[in-house]
């Protein structure tokens, strides 16, 4: 739902494209498209494809707004599955946002996104979020950091308010690899209408090969019993390419 490549389960590592823009460079308007094949489509460690492979596409646009600020917008489409043997459908969504630089390499961003679920139309909802991030700097020996807070007035189209707290660390390794650790906390004002509050964790290793972005990870969610096999600890893999 967190560069758009592999967004379904790697948003904390790859983030959105604008967040990684260098504050020292004069940005130019940029349009990119990403196609990804993932071992499954996950949302905060919960499978939205019943642990089946998912084809995912996204389009993202960034435009300088002056004084170091950037406007950003994008849309995505992911193949999903919500029942044992249903017809495969495609979840869609989009976002708009604004980001800019802070001191010492930090970036901030404000975003609003909407997700739509054709097989579960009542789930359509809007989420607003604020982000603080800093890229890993191998020369300075500093870790990459990603912090975020998200709020939805109607989580999954219900009467329950939803909040999400996120923190992530990343480290550059030899051979162009990146090791990352993510932790999140989902909170609902009316758990009986959505889910029990739960945590999610992810450990991932990312790299590039022949122009492809490749990431392998291990994801875990607390109170996983409420999601059945869709929330069990498991390995995930995604391969994507941005044009």
């Amino acid at each position: 739902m967190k560069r758009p490549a592999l967004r379904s389960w790697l948003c904390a590592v790859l983030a959105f494209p604008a967040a990684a823009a260098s504050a020292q460079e004069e940005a130019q308007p940029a349009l990119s498209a990403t196609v990804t094949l993932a071992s499954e489509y996950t949302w905060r460690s919960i499978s939205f494809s019943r642990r089946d492979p998912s084809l995912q596409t996204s389009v993202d646009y960034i435009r300088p707004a002056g004084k170091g600020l950037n406007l950003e917008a994008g849309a995505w489409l992911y193949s999903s599955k919500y029942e044992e043997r249903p017809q495969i459908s495609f979840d869609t969504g989009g976002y708009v946002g604004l980001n800019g630089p802070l001191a010492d390499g930090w970036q901030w961003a404000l975003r609003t996104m909407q997700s739509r679920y054709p097989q579960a139309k009542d789930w359509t909802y809007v989420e607003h979020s604020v982000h603080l991030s800093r890229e890993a700097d191998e020369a300075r020996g500093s870790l990459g950091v990603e912090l975020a807070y998200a709020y939805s007035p109607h989580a999954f189209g219900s009467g329950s308010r939803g909040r999400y707290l996120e923190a992530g660390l990343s480290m550059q390794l030899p051979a162009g690899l990146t090791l990352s650790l993510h932790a999140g906390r989902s909170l609902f004002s009316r758990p009986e209408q959505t889910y029990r509050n739960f945590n999610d964790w992810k450990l991932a290793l990312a790299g590039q090969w022949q122009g492809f972005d490749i990431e392998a990870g291990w994801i875990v969610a607390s109170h996983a019993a409420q999601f059945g096999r869709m929330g069990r600890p498991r390995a995930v893999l995604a391969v994507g390419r941005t044009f």
Side-chain angles (χ1 to χ4, degrees):
M1 316 203 127
K2 226 219 292 245
R3 293 175 296 185
L6 322 185
R7 183 185 295 129
S8 63
W9 58 278
L10 302 169
C11 58
V13 181
L14 301 181
F16 286 82
S22 172
Q24 284 72 38
E25 297 181 4
E26 185 63 30
Q28 299 295 324
L31 179 67
S32 63
T34 301
V35 178
T36 300
L37 180 61
S39 59
E40 60 181 279
Y41 163 25
T42 66
W43 171 86
R44 294 166 187 171
S45 294
I46 309 305
S47 180
F48 275 27
S49 63
R50 299 199 67 83
R51 300 180 62 174
D52 284 348
S54 173
L55 179 64
Q56 307 170 0
T57 63
S58 63
V59 177
D60 298 86
Y61 179 72
I62 179 172
R63 182 180 181 86
K67 298 184 178 180
L69 302 179
N70 296 288
L71 297 172
E72 54 186 62
W76 62 86
L77 182 149
Y78 297 159
S79 63
S80 59
K81 186 185 294 186
Y82 296 97
E83 299 176 6
E84 284 294 346
R85 294 182 179 178
Q87 178 180 356
I88 294 176
S89 67
F90 288 89
D91 295 350
T92 61
Y95 72 93
V96 293
L98 180 70
N99 74 74
L102 295 171
D104 198 28
W106 286 86
Q107 296 273 328
W108 63 267
L110 300 174
R111 300 187 179 107
T112 293
M113 72 95 178
Q114 182 183 61
S115 293
R116 304 179 65 88
Y117 308 93
Q119 286 195 26
K121 295 181 180 180
D122 292 342
W123 283 14
T124 296
Y125 74 102
V126 173
E127 189 173 79
H128 312 285
S129 59
V130 57
H131 304 253
L132 289 174
S133 63
R134 183 185 66 187
E135 289 189 320
D137 188 333
E138 187 175 12
R140 298 173 58 182
S142 61
L143 298 175
V145 180
E146 175 78 14
L147 303 172
Y149 171 80
Y151 171 78
S152 176
H154 302 287
F156 291 106
S158 71
S160 176
R161 295 185 301 276
R163 292 174 292 155
Y164 186 65
L165 306 173
E166 177 183 2
L169 295 174
S170 62
M171 175 189 301
Q172 292 183 347
L173 301 177
L177 299 176
T178 299
L179 179 68
S180 65
L181 176 65
H182 158 88
R185 172 71 170 170
S186 294
L187 301 166
F188 304 98
S189 63
R190 297 181 180 178
E192 70 279 4
Q193 296 186 10
T194 49
Y195 300 113
R196 292 178 59 189
N197 299 338
F198 68 95
N199 303 319
D200 66 274
W201 298 274
K202 176 183 64 190
L203 180 66
L205 184 66
Q208 286 193 330
W209 180 77
Q210 299 293 319
F212 289 91
D213 294 309
I214 304 173
E215 289 210 20
W218 181 259
I219 57 178
V220 180
S222 65
H223 300 298
Q226 65 182 321
F227 307 108
R229 64 186 293 268
M230 303 306 104
R232 294 175 185 170
R234 59 203 182 277
V236 286
L237 175 67
V239 179
R241 185 155 191 168
T242 300
F243 303 92

